[in-house]
mmCIF file of all heavy atoms in Angstrom:
data_model
loop_
_atom_site.group_PDB
_atom_site.id
_atom_site.type_symbol
_atom_site.label_atom_id
_atom_site.label_comp_id
_atom_site.label_asym_id
_atom_site.label_seq_id
_atom_site.Cartn_x
_atom_site.Cartn_y
_atom_site.Cartn_z
ATOM 1 N N ASP A 95 99.706 139.290 42.580
ATOM 2 C CA ASP A 95 101.091 139.256 41.914
ATOM 3 C C ASP A 95 102.209 139.213 42.927
ATOM 4 O O ASP A 95 103.161 138.578 42.747
ATOM 5 C CB ASP A 95 101.236 140.535 41.034
ATOM 6 C CG ASP A 95 100.345 140.428 39.783
ATOM 7 O OD1 ASP A 95 99.844 139.439 39.568
ATOM 8 O OD2 ASP A 95 100.241 141.504 39.109
ATOM 9 N N LEU A 96 102.160 140.135 43.942
ATOM 10 C CA LEU A 96 103.109 139.997 45.036
ATOM 11 C C LEU A 96 103.097 138.708 45.776
ATOM 12 O O LEU A 96 104.237 138.230 46.055
ATOM 13 C CB LEU A 96 102.864 141.193 46.095
ATOM 14 C CG LEU A 96 103.083 142.589 45.580
ATOM 15 C CD1 LEU A 96 102.509 143.603 46.603
ATOM 16 C CD2 LEU A 96 104.522 142.761 45.329
ATOM 17 N N LEU A 97 101.968 138.165 46.004
ATOM 18 C CA LEU A 97 101.950 136.849 46.736
ATOM 19 C C LEU A 97 102.532 135.822 45.833
ATOM 20 O O LEU A 97 103.276 134.983 46.221
ATOM 21 C CB LEU A 97 100.471 136.465 46.906
ATOM 22 C CG LEU A 97 100.342 135.032 47.549
ATOM 23 C CD1 LEU A 97 101.029 135.013 48.973
ATOM 24 C CD2 LEU A 97 98.776 134.799 47.764
ATOM 25 N N GLY A 98 102.207 135.821 44.494
ATOM 26 C CA GLY A 98 102.906 134.877 43.477
ATOM 27 C C GLY A 98 104.450 135.007 43.531
ATOM 28 O O GLY A 98 105.130 133.957 43.408
ATOM 29 N N GLU A 99 104.863 136.105 43.473
ATOM 30 C CA GLU A 99 106.269 136.468 43.538
ATOM 31 C C GLU A 99 106.983 135.895 44.843
ATOM 32 O O GLU A 99 107.912 135.266 44.858
ATOM 33 C CB GLU A 99 106.662 138.004 43.416
ATOM 34 C CG GLU A 99 108.073 138.341 43.308
ATOM 35 C CD GLU A 99 108.291 139.910 43.125
ATOM 36 O OE1 GLU A 99 107.479 140.440 42.252
ATOM 37 O OE2 GLU A 99 109.166 140.360 43.790
ATOM 38 N N ARG A 100 106.206 136.114 45.940
ATOM 39 C CA ARG A 100 106.958 135.710 47.239
ATOM 40 C C ARG A 100 106.848 134.146 47.175
ATOM 41 O O ARG A 100 107.784 133.497 47.705
ATOM 42 C CB ARG A 100 105.949 136.232 48.358
ATOM 43 C CG ARG A 100 106.336 135.820 49.799
ATOM 44 C CD ARG A 100 107.807 136.342 50.038
ATOM 45 N NE ARG A 100 108.144 135.971 51.468
ATOM 46 C CZ ARG A 100 109.468 135.459 51.739
ATOM 47 N NH1 ARG A 100 110.280 135.325 50.749
ATOM 48 N NH2 ARG A 100 109.589 135.005 52.964
ATOM 49 N N LEU A 101 105.894 133.556 46.838
ATOM 50 C CA LEU A 101 105.787 132.040 46.735
ATOM 51 C C LEU A 101 106.889 131.436 45.868
ATOM 52 O O LEU A 101 107.507 130.498 46.133
ATOM 53 C CB LEU A 101 104.315 131.527 46.165
ATOM 54 C CG LEU A 101 103.274 131.822 47.119
ATOM 55 C CD1 LEU A 101 101.908 131.436 46.433
ATOM 56 C CD2 LEU A 101 103.418 130.953 48.487
ATOM 57 N N ARG A 102 107.136 132.124 44.733
ATOM 58 C CA ARG A 102 108.199 131.706 43.834
ATOM 59 C C ARG A 102 109.636 131.787 44.527
ATOM 60 O O ARG A 102 110.388 130.919 44.412
ATOM 61 C CB ARG A 102 108.271 132.545 42.541
ATOM 62 C CG ARG A 102 107.171 132.034 41.561
ATOM 63 C CD ARG A 102 107.416 132.711 40.149
ATOM 64 N NE ARG A 102 107.256 134.228 40.230
ATOM 65 C CZ ARG A 102 106.066 134.806 40.249
ATOM 66 N NH1 ARG A 102 104.882 134.155 40.235
ATOM 67 N NH2 ARG A 102 106.041 135.973 40.239
ATOM 68 N N GLU A 103 109.779 132.859 45.267
ATOM 69 C CA GLU A 103 110.933 132.969 46.124
ATOM 70 C C GLU A 103 111.173 132.005 47.199
ATOM 71 O O GLU A 103 112.287 131.493 47.430
ATOM 72 C CB GLU A 103 110.992 134.432 46.863
ATOM 73 C CG GLU A 103 111.182 135.468 45.799
ATOM 74 C CD GLU A 103 111.035 136.905 46.582
ATOM 75 O OE1 GLU A 103 110.840 136.920 47.760
ATOM 76 O OE2 GLU A 103 111.223 137.900 45.844
ATOM 77 N N LEU A 104 110.116 131.570 47.894
ATOM 78 C CA LEU A 104 110.105 130.581 48.786
ATOM 79 C C LEU A 104 110.373 129.200 48.276
ATOM 80 O O LEU A 104 111.066 128.372 48.817
ATOM 81 C CB LEU A 104 108.680 130.491 49.584
ATOM 82 C CG LEU A 104 108.436 131.660 50.610
ATOM 83 C CD1 LEU A 104 106.979 131.552 51.040
ATOM 84 C CD2 LEU A 104 109.516 131.690 51.679
ATOM 85 N N LYS A 105 109.839 128.874 47.020
ATOM 86 C CA LYS A 105 110.132 127.572 46.308
ATOM 87 C C LYS A 105 111.610 127.542 45.775
ATOM 88 O O LYS A 105 112.152 126.615 45.783
ATOM 89 C CB LYS A 105 109.114 127.388 45.230
ATOM 90 C CG LYS A 105 107.822 127.007 45.520
ATOM 91 C CD LYS A 105 107.051 126.768 44.273
ATOM 92 C CE LYS A 105 105.610 126.108 44.623
ATOM 93 N NZ LYS A 105 105.009 125.857 43.307
ATOM 94 N N ASN A 106 112.135 128.787 45.450
ATOM 95 C CA ASN A 106 113.440 128.728 44.819
ATOM 96 C C ASN A 106 114.252 129.927 45.538
ATOM 97 O O ASN A 106 114.331 131.061 45.069
ATOM 98 C CB ASN A 106 113.364 129.020 43.288
ATOM 99 C CG ASN A 106 114.745 128.884 42.701
ATOM 100 O OD1 ASN A 106 115.711 128.762 43.400
ATOM 101 N ND2 ASN A 106 114.745 128.879 41.281
ATOM 102 N N PRO A 107 114.908 129.578 46.598
ATOM 103 C CA PRO A 107 115.599 130.568 47.432
ATOM 104 C C PRO A 107 116.705 131.413 46.636
ATOM 105 O O PRO A 107 117.134 132.425 46.962
ATOM 106 C CB PRO A 107 116.288 129.793 48.446
ATOM 107 C CG PRO A 107 115.546 128.594 48.550
ATOM 108 C CD PRO A 107 114.964 128.263 47.252
ATOM 109 N N GLU A 108 117.135 130.778 45.484
ATOM 110 C CA GLU A 108 118.212 131.403 44.651
ATOM 111 C C GLU A 108 117.482 132.713 43.959
ATOM 112 O O GLU A 108 118.346 133.650 43.779
ATOM 113 C CB GLU A 108 118.591 130.438 43.489
ATOM 114 C CG GLU A 108 119.372 129.165 44.068
ATOM 115 C CD GLU A 108 120.691 129.601 44.879
ATOM 116 O OE1 GLU A 108 121.374 130.542 44.426
ATOM 117 O OE2 GLU A 108 120.869 128.959 45.907
ATOM 118 N N LEU A 109 116.282 132.710 43.770
ATOM 119 C CA LEU A 109 115.623 133.857 43.106
ATOM 120 C C LEU A 109 115.826 135.049 44.066
ATOM 121 O O LEU A 109 116.074 136.158 43.734
ATOM 122 C CB LEU A 109 114.141 133.603 42.827
ATOM 123 C CG LEU A 109 113.920 132.716 41.720
ATOM 124 C CD1 LEU A 109 112.178 132.589 41.601
ATOM 125 C CD2 LEU A 109 114.284 133.307 40.338
ATOM 126 N N LYS A 110 115.595 134.639 45.469
ATOM 127 C CA LYS A 110 115.675 135.902 46.447
ATOM 128 C C LYS A 110 117.166 136.342 46.427
ATOM 129 O O LYS A 110 117.328 137.556 46.651
ATOM 130 C CB LYS A 110 115.231 135.288 47.765
ATOM 131 C CG LYS A 110 115.095 136.430 48.801
ATOM 132 C CD LYS A 110 114.473 135.839 50.229
ATOM 133 C CE LYS A 110 114.380 136.934 51.180
ATOM 134 N NZ LYS A 110 113.702 136.471 52.345
ATOM 135 N N LYS A 111 118.108 135.505 46.384
ATOM 136 C CA LYS A 111 119.493 135.977 46.403
ATOM 137 C C LYS A 111 119.885 136.724 45.272
ATOM 138 O O LYS A 111 120.556 137.790 45.292
ATOM 139 C CB LYS A 111 120.465 134.742 46.419
ATOM 140 C CG LYS A 111 120.476 133.968 47.781
ATOM 141 C CD LYS A 111 121.373 132.693 47.719
ATOM 142 C CE LYS A 111 121.208 131.944 49.059
ATOM 143 N NZ LYS A 111 122.002 130.750 48.949
ATOM 144 N N GLU A 112 119.400 136.264 44.001
ATOM 145 C CA GLU A 112 119.578 137.205 42.851
ATOM 146 C C GLU A 112 118.995 138.460 42.892
ATOM 147 O O GLU A 112 119.558 139.362 42.526
ATOM 148 C CB GLU A 112 119.029 136.339 41.563
ATOM 149 C CG GLU A 112 119.888 135.099 41.200
ATOM 150 C CD GLU A 112 119.256 134.284 40.120
ATOM 151 O OE1 GLU A 112 118.311 134.806 39.448
ATOM 152 O OE2 GLU A 112 119.582 133.170 39.853
ATOM 153 N N LYS A 113 117.816 138.590 43.476
ATOM 154 C CA LYS A 113 117.126 139.760 43.639
ATOM 155 C C LYS A 113 117.808 140.785 44.541
ATOM 156 O O LYS A 113 117.935 141.929 44.228
ATOM 157 C CB LYS A 113 115.607 139.430 44.132
ATOM 158 C CG LYS A 113 114.731 140.592 43.871
ATOM 159 C CD LYS A 113 113.216 140.276 44.228
ATOM 160 C CE LYS A 113 112.360 141.391 43.911
ATOM 161 N NZ LYS A 113 110.965 141.104 44.317
#
Side-chain angles (χ1 to χ4, degrees):
D95 290 346
L96 290 171
L97 178 61
E99 186 177 319
R100 181 66 179 133
L101 290 173
R102 282 189 297 281
E103 289 173 358
L104 290 172
K105 281 184 173 182
N106 187 351
E108 295 301 317
L109 288 175
K110 188 173 183 178
K111 289 179 188 175
E112 289 173 15
K113 195 173 181 180

